[in-house]
């Protein structure tokens, strides 16, 4: 079995930066699609909801957040080389918890308000709603909006507390990961080659799915979301182990075509089984195909990304600093666009196109014209403050706050 090779000291992992930005762009597209996909609950639903969207959305949904958590783990692998437990907790707490609190108080409330009004359980008038929402003095009607039972909600920002929890867990156990036993686990994982790399990482994910999914369905409740925690923490650790190793990345690049063929075969078989069996297929078969496709899709994306994206793209510097504010802003902008455009009855083609344009345009305008330019706003969106005397871009490790670290191996 080949031993892993450490990354050289020169060069930045541009492919990780690029994949991070593209992954969060997919999150925006996915959330626009959630407004239109039939029979899937979301904050608001379109009268143009379509059943045919379910499979395209499912094909994306199976791996989209798993990829995001794996990339975050990769970035933590870079950062943890130079920081101890206290430094990691201090720096990551500020970069994740502060935007979460700000988002729950300022960005997310309009989503809850629009959902509550649409459900007929909240009276029109955003000002009155916001006062009640922030005071948390009076309980909301049941099912007024997602998270109403807690008084406040984080909606799409759930990723931030999950990411902080996993980061804190790794930070608090750094002595374990740096011990001979921890290093042995890392070396064994990074030494996987060929079929082992495409199949063995699936086994823990299948086990979590079979054992936990029937009893703990996804809730995005940080305390009781045991199934999603098991899946996301596992792929987060995969990324953390992979971080600075070059051998496993070269192998993923070498296997990229094979993993693509196998991923297509896995999702094709899953669709055929689900459609042909009409709900009577054995649960284990569905779980196995779904989890296998998830890992093969991630391996394909990482392999092709390492092959084609690992270069200093002109847009990458801007994207690295913009991805966090876009993530914080995008879903509220989607809801605002829906509320404005739905009464115009523009139809199932023009309306989603305008919602997507309004969302991307709003993210771009607010981020570039406001968030990145106002020093006191920057930390509220996960960015570091710029020095007053310079207009230079922040250092590399500050351009990718959702990544938790620079992907430069220095």
């Amino acid at each position: 079995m080949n031993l892993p090779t450490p990354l050289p000291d020169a060069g930045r992992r541009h492919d990780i930066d690029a994949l991070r930005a593209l992954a969060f762009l997919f999150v925006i597209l996915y959330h626009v699609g959630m407004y239109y996909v039939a029979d899937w609950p979301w904050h608001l639903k379109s009268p143009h909801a379509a059943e045919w969207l379910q499979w395209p959305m499912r094909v994306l949904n199976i791996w989209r957040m798993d990829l995001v958590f794996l990339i975050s783990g990769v970035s933590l692998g870079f950062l943890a080389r130079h920081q101890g437990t206290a430094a990691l907790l201090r720096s990551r707490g500020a970069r994740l918890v502060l935007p979460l609190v700000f988002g729950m108080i300022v960005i997310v409330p309009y989503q809850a308000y629009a959902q509550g009004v649409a459900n007929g359980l909240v009276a029109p008038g955003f000002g009155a709603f916001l006062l009640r929402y922030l005071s948390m003095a009076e309980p909301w009607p049941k099912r007024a909006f997602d998270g109403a039972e807690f008084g406040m909600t984080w909606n799409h920002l759930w990723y931030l507390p999950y990411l902080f929890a996993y980061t804190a867990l790794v930070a608090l156990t750094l002595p374990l990961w740096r011990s001979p036993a921890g290093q042995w686990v890392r070396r064994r994982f990074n030494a996987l080659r060929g079929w082992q790399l495409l199949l063995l990482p699936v086994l823990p994910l299948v086990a979590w799915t079979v054992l936990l999914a029937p009893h703990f369905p996804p809730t995005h409740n940080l305390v009781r979301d045991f199934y999603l925690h098991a899946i996301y923490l596992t792929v987060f650790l995969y990324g953390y182990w992979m971080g600075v190793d070059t051998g496993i990345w070269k192998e993923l690049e070498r296997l990229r075509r094979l993993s693509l063929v196998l991923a297509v075969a896995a999702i094709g078989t899953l669709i055929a089984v689900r459609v042909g069996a009409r709900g009577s297929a054995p649960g284990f078969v569905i779980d196995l195909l779904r989890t296998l496709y998830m890992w093969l899709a991630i391996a394909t994306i990482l392999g092709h990304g390492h092959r084609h994206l690992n270069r200093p793209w002109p847009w990458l510097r801007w994207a690295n600093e913009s991805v966090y504010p876009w993530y914080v802003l995008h879903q509220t902008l989607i809801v605002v666009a829906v509320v404005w455009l739905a009464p115009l009855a523009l139809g199932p083609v023009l309306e989603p196109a305008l919602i997507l344009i309004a969302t991307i345009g709003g993210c771009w305008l607010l981020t570039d014209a406001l968030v990145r330019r106002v020093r006191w706003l920057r930390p509220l969106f996960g960015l570091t403050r710029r020095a007053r005397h310079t207009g230079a871009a922040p250092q590399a490790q500050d351009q990718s706050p959702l990544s938790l670290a620079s992907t430069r191996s220095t």
Side-chain angles (χ1 to χ4, degrees), residues 71-93:
I71 290 174
S72 297
V74 170
S75 300
L76 181 62
F78 284 88
L79 185 62
R81 295 174 303 161
H82 306 303
Q83 293 190 23
T85 297
L88 282 173
L89 292 175
R90 183 170 56 251
S91 62
R92 295 312 94 190

Side-chain angles (χ1 to χ4, degrees), residues 10-11 37 43 49 79-80 84 99 120 126 181 198 218 243 260 266 268 279 281 292 308 338 346 351 356 370 388:
V37 63
H43 313 293
L79 185 62
F126 181 62
L198 297 182
L260 174 59
L292 180 62
H308 301 294
V338 166
L346 299 174
E351 182 186 87
L356 184 59
L370 187 65
R388 293 182 181 275

Side-chain angles (χ1 to χ4, degrees), residues 21-42:
L22 294 174
F24 278 97
L25 180 60
F26 273 119
V27 169
I28 295 176
L29 295 172
Y30 181 83
H31 284 154
V32 172
M34 284 297 294
Y35 177 57
Y36 290 100
V37 63
D39 302 326
W40 288 18
W42 200 60

Side-chain angles (χ1 to χ4, degrees), residues 82-147:
H82 306 303
Q83 293 190 23
T85 297
L88 282 173
L89 292 175
R90 183 170 56 251
S91 62
R92 295 312 94 190
R95 301 291 287 280
L96 293 172
V97 177
L98 181 58
L100 173 64
V101 174
F102 173 76
M104 292 175 65
I105 294 174
V106 177
I107 306 298
V108 169
Y110 187 79
Q111 299 179 39
Y113 166 74
Q115 183 178 2
V117 171
N119 291 339
L121 297 173
V122 170
F126 181 62
F129 170 86
L130 187 60
L131 288 175
R132 180 177 171 184
Y133 177 88
L134 295 178
S135 68
M136 300 181 66
E138 185 179 353
W140 296 101
K142 291 183 178 180
R143 295 182 293 277
F145 54 85
D146 293 351

Side-chain angles (χ1 to χ4, degrees), residues 57-394:
M57 292 285 286
R58 188 174 284 116
V59 167
L60 177 62
N61 185 51
I62 289 175
W63 53 261
R64 64 184 183 93
M65 290 308 302
D66 309 88
L67 174 65
V68 169
F69 278 108
L70 186 141
I71 290 174
S72 297
V74 170
S75 300
L76 181 62
F78 284 88
L79 185 62
R81 295 174 303 161
H82 306 303
Q83 293 190 23
T85 297
L88 282 173
L89 292 175
R90 183 170 56 251
S91 62
R92 295 312 94 190
R95 301 291 287 280
L96 293 172
V97 177
L98 181 58
L100 173 64
V101 174
F102 173 76
M104 292 175 65
I105 294 174
V106 177
I107 306 298
V108 169
Y110 187 79
Q111 299 179 39
Y113 166 74
Q115 183 178 2
V117 171
N119 291 339
L121 297 173
V122 170
F126 181 62
F129 170 86
L130 187 60
L131 288 175
R132 180 177 171 184
Y133 177 88
L134 295 178
S135 68
M136 300 181 66
E138 185 179 353
W140 296 101
K142 291 183 178 180
R143 295 182 293 277
F145 54 85
D146 293 351
E149 64 272 23
F150 302 106
M152 299 181 72
T153 181
W154 51 42
N155 277 3
H156 70 290
L157 299 180
W158 65 268
Y159 165 71
L160 299 180
Y162 280 51
L163 181 56
F164 179 70
Y166 306 156
T167 302
L169 180 61
V170 172
L172 292 171
T173 55
L174 275 181
L176 170 63
W177 300 116
R178 292 171 176 173
S179 69
Q183 290 300 309
W184 179 86
V185 171
R186 182 195 296 263
R187 287 195 301 269
R188 295 290 292 181
F189 183 85
N190 288 329
L192 295 176
R193 296 294 183 265
W195 68 268
Q196 296 176 332
L197 182 55
L198 297 182
L199 295 181
L200 294 185
V202 177
L203 299 182
L205 303 174
V206 172
W208 302 140
T209 302
V210 171
L211 295 175
L212 298 177
H215 307 289
F216 304 101
T219 62
H220 295 156
N221 179 323
L222 183 65
V223 178
R224 298 191 295 270
D225 213 3
F226 297 112
Y227 165 58
L228 284 187
H229 281 318
I231 295 293
Y232 291 152
L233 179 58
T234 298
V235 295
F236 183 79
L237 287 175
Y238 288 172
Y240 173 69
W241 294 333
M242 293 165 62
V244 299
D245 186 85
T246 55
I248 194 168
W249 291 98
K250 290 180 179 178
E251 184 67 0
L252 286 168
E253 179 181 338
R254 186 182 74 84
L255 296 171
R256 68 190 186 279
R257 295 187 181 91
L258 175 60
S259 60
L260 174 59
V261 171
L262 293 176
V264 171
I267 191 61
T269 304
L270 176 60
I271 294 173
V273 169
R274 290 285 295 269
V275 172
R278 298 184 181 274
S280 62
F284 177 76
V285 173
I286 298 296
D287 292 338
L288 177 61
L289 288 171
R290 184 185 184 280
T291 309
L292 180 62
Y293 163 67
M294 182 262 281
W295 176 249
L296 290 170
I298 290 176
T300 300
I301 292 167
L302 296 178
H304 281 277
H306 192 60
R307 174 69 174 181
H308 301 294
L309 296 177
N310 198 15
R311 63 190 70 177
W313 300 95
W315 49 269
L316 201 50
R317 188 181 185 90
W318 168 84
N320 275 337
E321 197 179 33
S322 300
V323 63
Y324 206 154
W326 280 49
Y327 163 70
V328 172
L329 292 167
H330 81 275
Q331 186 160 288
T332 296
L333 290 175
I334 292 173
V335 172
V336 170
V338 166
V339 171
W340 287 353
L341 293 173
L344 302 180
L346 299 174
V349 176
L350 181 58
E351 182 186 87
L354 291 178
I355 290 173
L356 184 59
I357 291 171
T359 302
I360 292 178
C363 287
W364 172 76
L365 182 63
L366 289 172
T367 298
D368 279 42
L370 187 65
V371 173
R372 295 177 64 192
R373 295 176 181 271
V374 180
R375 292 184 74 249
W376 64 268
L377 272 179
R378 291 176 60 87
L380 300 178
F381 287 87
L383 307 180
T384 57
R385 294 180 184 270
R386 286 180 177 174
R388 293 182 181 275
H389 63 276
T390 179

